[in-house]
């Protein structure tokens, strides 16, 4: 796949796009312009083929049978775990990478295991105003049950966290929950800086990497957080599988999350003995085919290189922000940081006073797929003073033609509503 | 393919740009009900007064997309001054129109089941809806059906609450 990288000009997106079957289709007589990768990304045939090949040649339950294909299935499942671990720099991938259903389940796992072990009535949690509901509601549920209080790191008008008061906010806090990259604003948060202050105050840091891991180089050995959750389907992989990385020393003493098969060493009538890491947290038959697909997605991303992907997305975000500003001026308001270096390829916007649902409805007529809604971040929507936004988000397969198609369709939207 | 003109009929755009009966009635005495669309964050506030068994006044507040706002505006114009029994019939007919296609979708919300009797759909007298029939095209865009029915569900809740406080005859 080295030929996909044109060193002088960044990614060879035109060649790379051919790997994604869905991008070849038309919608409403227009070539599809897929700008919703922050919700779910498309899959290259390398991922689809790996899953099919596994299903057709190797499938059996893992960690069970002693026959050849069962051993091979187990081997490939565990190899995918290690591949994902290496992708994010996990020091001990065969123990620290837990497969979950998605990032949401990973965060719930932390709340239900680490949270239930360490958080007691009167304790405090610190979250940010820009969290996805997945990194808010599990803590609110626990807060209600355990009588915890929740504090919030506010954001400024450019969508950056206000950290001037961090030391006071974090004082006495047991856990800090922070997104690496906002799914609405694209803001890239200084996780390392926040983690240093949090750790000095004795708090554990849980990071939501659902938006960052698919688009930026990630190295948990230097990132600073103690737990990191993300989803396969936002990083060219399948739905139904996510990852929770946790520090070995934090995971080791924790009780199981769900009970059942796989997560036990022994069961007697009197009780059970839980399994070792990572299987203690993987009750029941795991998503095996999906793990194979995630492994293939990681391989695909690594072959292109996360640095190249990031550089491409910065360039495309810059082009998009400039194009939209030039063509629509004050009619468009893009939320979040002005500097593309400080954000990911996620552009939430308000276009005149046209409701985001109406915007995305008209865009759909031109084959342009964007998300309209509150993006599962209602506290942030309230902070921004809107009910909803329209959101265009990029991945490695998007190009400047996609941005132009968005701008052309927006112009049609403006004309339609007069 | 369903075209935009099916969804955004001129009368819908007119009610979106110039909503009728906009605002809130003082509550009390008016009944005040809020409706939410969790999908998009839209919210609607219906305030209504029921006197002598009729909806004597109604106002619409809140924010939403062109479909939810125009549907609410058209609804307010259609029910103002009408007897509660007629309004309930209208709600049933309107929701029937909105569920003809919805009822054929897999995974339809169970809360709407009461409105989607197979026979009822055939008996729908869409002509009786007048201007409201302009919203018929919404059913071709299933995601938007909840936008169109938001204000109607909210009104139905308001009528229920008004009756539970004063009895079926109104007062």
């Amino acid at each position: 796949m080295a030929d996909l990288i044109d060193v002088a000009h960044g990614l060879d997106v035109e060649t790379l796009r051919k790997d994604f079957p869905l991008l070849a289709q038309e919608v409403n007589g227009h070539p599809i312009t897929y700008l919703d990768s922050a919700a779910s990304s498309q899959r290259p045939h390398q991922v689809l083929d790996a899953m099919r090949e596994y299903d057709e040649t190797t499938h059996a339950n893992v960690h069970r049978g002693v026959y050849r294909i069962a051993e091979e299935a187990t081997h490939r499942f565990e190899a995918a775990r290690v591949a994902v671990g290496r992708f994010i720099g996990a020091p001990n991938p065969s123990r620290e990478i837990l497969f979950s259903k998605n990032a949401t389940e990973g965060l719930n796992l932390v709340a239900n295991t680490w949270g239930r072990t360490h958080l007691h009535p009167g304790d405090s949690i610190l979250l940010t105003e820009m969290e996805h509901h997945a990194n808010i509601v599990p803590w609110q549920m626990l807060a209600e049950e355990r009588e915890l209080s929740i504090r919030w790191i506010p954001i400024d008008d450019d969508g950056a966290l206000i950290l001037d008061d961090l030391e006071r906010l974090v004082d006495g806090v047991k856990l800090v929950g922070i997104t690496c990259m906002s799914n609405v604003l694209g803001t890239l948060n200084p996780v390392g800086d926040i983690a240093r202050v949090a750790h000095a105050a004795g708090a554990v840091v849980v990071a939501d990497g659902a938006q960052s891991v698919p688009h930026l180089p990630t190295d948990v050995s230097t990132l600073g957080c103690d737990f990191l959750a993300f989803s396969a389907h936002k990083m060219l992989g399948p739905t139904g599988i996510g990852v929770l990385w946790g520090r070995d020393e934090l995971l080791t003493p924790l009780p199981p999350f769900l009970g059942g098969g796989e997560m036990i060493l022994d069961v007697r009538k009197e009780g059970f003995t839980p399994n070792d890491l990572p299987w203690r947290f993987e009750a029941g038959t795991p998503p095996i085919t999906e793990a194979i697909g995630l492994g293939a997605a990681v391989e695909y991303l690594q072959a292109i290189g996360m640095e190249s992907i990031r550089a491409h997305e910065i360039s495309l975000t810059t082009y998009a922000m400039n194009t939209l500003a030039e063509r629509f001026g004050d009619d468009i308001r893009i939320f979040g940081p002005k500097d593309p270096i400080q954000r990911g390829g996620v552009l939430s916007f308000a276009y005149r006073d046209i409701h985001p649902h109406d915007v995305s409805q008209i865009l759909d007529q031109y084959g342009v797929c964007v998300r309209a809604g509150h993006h599962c971040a209602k506290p942030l929507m309230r902070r921004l003073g809107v009910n909803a936004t329209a959101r265009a988000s990029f991945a490695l397969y998007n190009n400047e033609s996609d941005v132009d198609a968005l701008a052309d369709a927006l112009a049609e939207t403006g004309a339609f509503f007069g | 393919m369903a075209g935009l003109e099916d969804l955004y009929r001129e009368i819908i755009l007119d009610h979106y740009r110039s909503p009728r009966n906009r605002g809130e009635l003082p509550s009390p005495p008016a009944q005040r009900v809020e409706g939410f669309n969790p999908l998009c964050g839209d919210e609607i506030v219906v305030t209504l007064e029921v006197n002598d068994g009729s909806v004597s006044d109604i106002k619409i507040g809140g924010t939403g997309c062109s479909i939810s706002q125009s549907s609410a505006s058209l609804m307010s114009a259609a029910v103002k001054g009408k007897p509660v029994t007629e309004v309930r019939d209208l709600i049933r007919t309107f929701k029937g129109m909105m569920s003809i296609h919805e009822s054929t979708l897999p995974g339809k919300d169970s809360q709407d089941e009461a409105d989607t009797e197979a026979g009822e759909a055939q008996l729908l007298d869409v002509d009786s809806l007048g201007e409201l029939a302009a919203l018929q095209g919404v059913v071709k865009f299933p995601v938007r059906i909840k936008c169109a029915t938001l204000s109607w569900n909210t009104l139905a809740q308001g009528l229920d609450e008004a009756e539970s406080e004063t009895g079926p005859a109104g007062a």
Side-chain angles (χ1 to χ4, degrees):
Chain A
M1 221 174 296
D3 55 330
L4 290 182
I5 304 162
D6 177 336
V7 177
H9 301 97
L11 292 190
D12 179 359
V13 177
E14 296 326 300
T15 304
L16 180 155
R17 282 173 72 89
K18 296 193 176 78
D19 290 336
F20 294 81
L22 187 137
L23 298 181
Q25 72 174 289
E26 294 198 337
V27 175
N28 295 333
H30 298 269
I32 191 166
T33 299
Y34 188 75
L35 296 174
D36 198 18
S37 296
S40 199
S41 56
Q42 299 303 335
R43 299 82 187 243
H45 70 77
Q46 287 87 340
V47 167
L48 302 170
D49 292 349
M51 294 170 71
R52 173 178 279 267
E53 189 272 337
Y54 165 81
D55 281 342
E56 289 180 351
T57 65
T58 314
H59 176 65
N61 212 333
V62 292
H63 309 127
R64 308 280 198 284
V66 294
Y67 45 93
R68 196 189 59 78
I69 62 165
E71 282 190 355
E72 177 65 13
T74 302
H75 171 73
R76 291 177 65 173
F77 177 72
E78 292 301 330
R81 187 193 307 278
V82 171
V84 173
R86 292 198 174 128
F87 179 67
I88 61 163
N92 200 350
S94 61
R95 288 174 55 85
E96 296 176 334
I97 296 294
L98 317 182
F99 285 136
S100 59
K101 196 162 63 186
N102 42 40
T104 296
E105 193 184 61
L107 294 166
N108 275 274
L109 190 157
V110 180
N112 278 277
T113 58
W114 191 93
R116 282 173 190 279
T117 305
H118 295 279
L119 299 174
H120 306 289
D123 284 347
S124 297
I125 291 172
L126 179 63
L127 304 175
T128 84
E129 275 185 345
M130 68 170 82
E131 294 309 303
H132 187 283
H133 294 165
N135 206 18
I136 297 176
V137 180
W139 304 113
Q140 288 178 325
M141 290 165 73
L142 193 63
E144 204 165 292
E145 180 191 308
R146 290 282 164 105
E147 296 167 44
L148 313 173
S149 63
I150 299 179
R151 305 175 190 173
W152 302 86
I153 302 177
I155 62 167
D156 64 22
D157 290 338
D158 279 340
L161 293 176
I162 299 172
L163 297 171
D164 305 344
D165 215 14
L166 182 60
E167 288 189 19
R168 188 188 60 78
L169 272 175
V170 89
D171 185 41
V173 157
K174 290 263 183 75
L175 178 134
V176 176
I178 175 177
T179 182
C180 298
M181 172 178 151
S182 163
N183 68 314
V184 175
L185 304 165
T187 313
L188 296 170
N189 288 321
V191 176
D193 295 343
I194 295 168
R196 259 188 301 282
V197 178
H199 287 154
V204 155
V205 178
V206 182
D208 175 357
Q211 296 296 333
S212 63
V213 172
H215 302 279
L216 304 165
T218 302
D219 183 352
V220 291
S221 69
T222 56
L223 185 58
C225 62
D226 303 295
F227 295 97
L228 178 71
F230 53 101
S231 290
H233 73 95
K234 294 190 201 290
M235 52 191 288
L236 316 184
T239 55
I241 188 167
V243 174
L244 177 70
W245 168 81
R247 289 188 198 283
D248 195 328
E249 63 270 26
L250 289 177
L251 291 174
T252 297
L254 291 183
F257 175 36
L258 303 174
E262 185 84 355
M263 50 70 66
I264 47 84
L265 272 186
D266 188 22
V267 181
R268 299 162 307 281
K269 285 181 182 168
E270 302 77 32
F272 70 95
T273 309
N275 204 340
D276 292 330
L277 294 180
W279 310 291
R280 187 191 310 158
F281 298 100
E282 295 178 0
T285 297
I288 307 167
T289 308
E290 289 75 10
I292 304 298
L294 172 57
V298 161
E299 194 180 324
Y300 187 92
L301 290 169
Q302 277 176 320
I304 292 170
M306 296 308 292
E307 296 284 357
S308 301
I309 291 170
R310 173 64 182 146
H312 169 66
E313 291 183 12
I314 290 174
S315 149
L316 194 56
T317 303
T318 307
Y319 178 76
M321 292 175 84
N322 290 341
T323 300
L324 294 174
E326 276 166 25
R327 288 189 59 175
F328 302 104
D330 291 341
D331 277 353
I332 201 160
R333 174 188 173 198
I334 297 174
F335 298 96
K338 307 264 187 296
D339 179 359
I341 302 290
Q342 292 175 15
R343 64 185 301 154
V346 168
L347 294 182
S348 279
F349 60 91
Y351 178 51
R352 296 192 350 207
D353 59 349
I354 306 171
H355 192 279
H357 261 192
D358 292 317
V359 170
S360 80
Q361 190 85 57
I362 309 277
L363 296 189
D364 175 58
Q365 292 295 310
Y366 297 91
V368 179
C369 312
V370 301
R371 170 88 184 269
H374 53 61
H375 314 293
C376 297
K378 289 197 81 170
L380 175 58
M381 292 289 118
R382 292 197 170 94
R383 168 63 180 82
L384 298 174
V386 295
N387 278 355
T389 71
R391 180 188 71 185
S393 54
F394 306 127
L396 70 170
Y397 41 67
N398 289 117
N399 56 22
E400 294 184 356
S401 304
D402 290 332
V403 174
D404 294 339
L406 168 67
D408 290 345
L410 265 182
E412 298 287 351
T413 307
F416 186 86
F417 283 99
Chain B
M1 186 188 88
L4 280 184
E5 63 282 4
D6 291 317
L7 185 63
Y8 296 112
R9 302 276 298 275
E10 194 47 49
I11 196 164
I12 294 177
L13 292 173
D14 175 54
H15 275 261
Y16 174 50
R17 293 183 186 120
S18 318
R20 322 295 199 261
N21 302 305
R22 187 76 194 160
E24 279 196 40
L25 298 168
S27 169
Q31 200 73 34
R32 185 180 188 283
V33 203
E34 296 178 0
F36 296 93
N37 184 344
L39 193 71
C40 57
D42 286 357
E43 47 196 61
I44 200 149
V45 180
V46 174
T47 42
L48 71 156
E49 276 179 31
V50 177
N51 289 306
D52 299 330
S54 286
V55 176
S56 53
D57 203 359
I58 180 167
K59 287 212 183 292
I60 307 291
T63 55
C65 67
S66 60
I67 302 302
S68 74
Q69 293 297 292
S70 62
S71 181
S73 173
L74 282 158
M75 176 187 83
S76 70
V79 306
K80 194 168 169 179
K82 292 265 168 59
V84 171
T85 48
E86 243 178 77
V87 172
R88 286 197 182 278
D89 285 344
L90 192 59
I91 293 172
R92 208 171 297 117
T93 308
F94 182 81
K95 291 192 68 186
M97 178 175 83
M98 282 299 136
S99 55
I100 293 170
H101 288 229
E102 196 181 22
S103 65
T104 65
L105 291 173
K108 188 183 70 65
D109 283 358
S110 56
Q111 66 185 36
D112 290 337
E113 265 168 25
D115 312 314
T116 53
E117 303 284 320
E120 192 179 346
Q122 288 166 1
L123 295 174
L124 270 183
D125 181 8
V126 173
D127 292 341
S128 74
L129 289 170
E131 288 193 329
L132 290 166
L135 285 157
Q136 201 173 6
V138 174
V139 290
K140 295 178 187 168
F141 298 82
V143 178
R144 307 301 293 275
I145 290 174
K146 286 203 184 307
C147 308
T149 53
L150 177 63
S151 55
W152 295 81
N153 288 329
T154 310
L155 172 62
Q157 190 189 336
L159 290 176
D160 289 347
E161 289 177 12
E163 284 193 346
S164 71
E165 283 172 21
T166 59

